[in-house]
Amino acid sequence: MRRSHLAREKMKELNELIRDCALRQKKGLHFILTSVLIWALILIVFLTPLTIEQKNLITFCCSAVLFPAAWMLAKVLHIDFEGKGNPLTRAGILFSVNQMLYILIAMWVFAAVPGKMLMVYAMIFGAHLMPFSWLYRSKSYLAFSIVIPILALIVGLMCPSYVLAALMVVIEAVFACCLHRECKQLAANR
């Protein structure tokens, strides 16, 4: 009996930390809005007459704006970028950093099958969102973490890369709208 009471208390504590993280960081909305910008930059790159190798290299460079742009958006949107005081912030950082390991796969594709690098890049991006569905208790993160890799695979196999980049801009914009709605509902239920 005492054990189950302790487990309920710990679960309640964890749920409060999750709620606090989701509220203070607005479910990472600033990062998703920044991804709209990044995918727009990638789209522009893939509309140029550069070689596929050049386009792929510049695609990797486009990601360099992620943290500075997300930090600026966090300031504008009054989002706690650092999340100090909540131990789950470290989990969010870990969830983000793990994507860097998967980028090694995209780098291999860059050399082995350059025409499919953007497809793999998009699949990795989408799949890395799944742990955030737990961190923020977000159905949007869960849905998009599944939809993005599947659509990226289908579109990436059937269409030119610029079509995939355009699709990613649209998907990320829709995702940002869904997250914004989730954040409003969360704030209203305080």
Side-chain angles (χ1 to χ4, degrees):
M1 183 73 168
R2 182 163 164 72
R3 236 185 211 169
S4 65
H5 176 71
L6 284 173
R8 276 194 302 269
E9 286 299 314
K10 290 291 183 188
M11 190 55 91
K12 183 179 177 184
E13 211 174 290
L14 176 62
N15 286 331
E16 283 302 315
L17 287 171
I18 288 170
R19 183 175 172 74
D20 175 68
C21 192
L23 278 168
R24 288 175 42 196
Q25 295 184 341
K26 294 189 181 176
K27 296 190 176 196
L29 180 61
H30 48 307
F31 281 102
I32 301 306
L33 288 170
T34 300
S35 72
V36 175
L37 169 67
I38 291 170
W39 281 104
L41 292 172
I42 293 169
L43 172 59
I44 292 167
V45 169
F46 274 86
L47 290 173
T48 68
L50 297 170
T51 67
I52 189 64
E53 290 80 9
Q54 291 168 324
K55 290 175 183 180
N56 287 345
L57 185 59
I58 295 169
T59 294
F60 283 123
C61 295
C62 287
S63 297
V65 303
L66 178 66
F67 283 99
W71 180 80
M72 286 188 279
L73 267 174
K75 294 293 180 195
V76 171
L77 299 174
H78 308 290
I79 296 172
D80 181 2
F81 186 80
E82 295 177 34
K84 289 183 179 174
N86 189 325
L88 291 181
T89 300
R90 289 184 192 165
I93 293 168
L94 184 64
F95 297 161
S96 296
V97 171
N98 83 354
Q99 183 182 12
M100 295 300 123
L101 296 173
Y102 302 133
I103 291 300
L104 296 173
I105 299 166
M107 289 178 176
W108 176 82
V109 175
F110 176 97
V113 192
K116 297 302 176 195
M117 197 278 298
L118 190 66
M119 176 187 76
V120 171
Y121 189 77
M123 292 169 68
I124 291 167
F125 168 79
H128 106 280
L129 299 171
M130 190 172 279
F132 292 98
S133 67
W134 175 84
L135 181 63
Y136 297 133
R137 296 288 197 258
S138 171
K139 291 179 182 176
S140 295
Y141 272 101
L142 181 60
F144 283 92
S145 73
I146 296 167
V147 167
I148 291 171
I150 292 170
L151 282 179
L153 177 65
I154 293 167
V155 173
L157 290 174
M158 298 175 65
C159 301
S161 293
Y162 71 86
V163 173
L164 175 58
L167 176 66
M168 289 301 294
V169 172
V170 172
I171 287 173
E172 289 305 293
V174 172
F175 184 18
C177 291
C178 292
L179 270 186
H180 177 69
R181 188 180 68 231
E182 279 188 11
C183 289
K184 284 175 69 173
Q185 289 173 345
L186 183 65
N189 293 334
R190 275 186 160 174

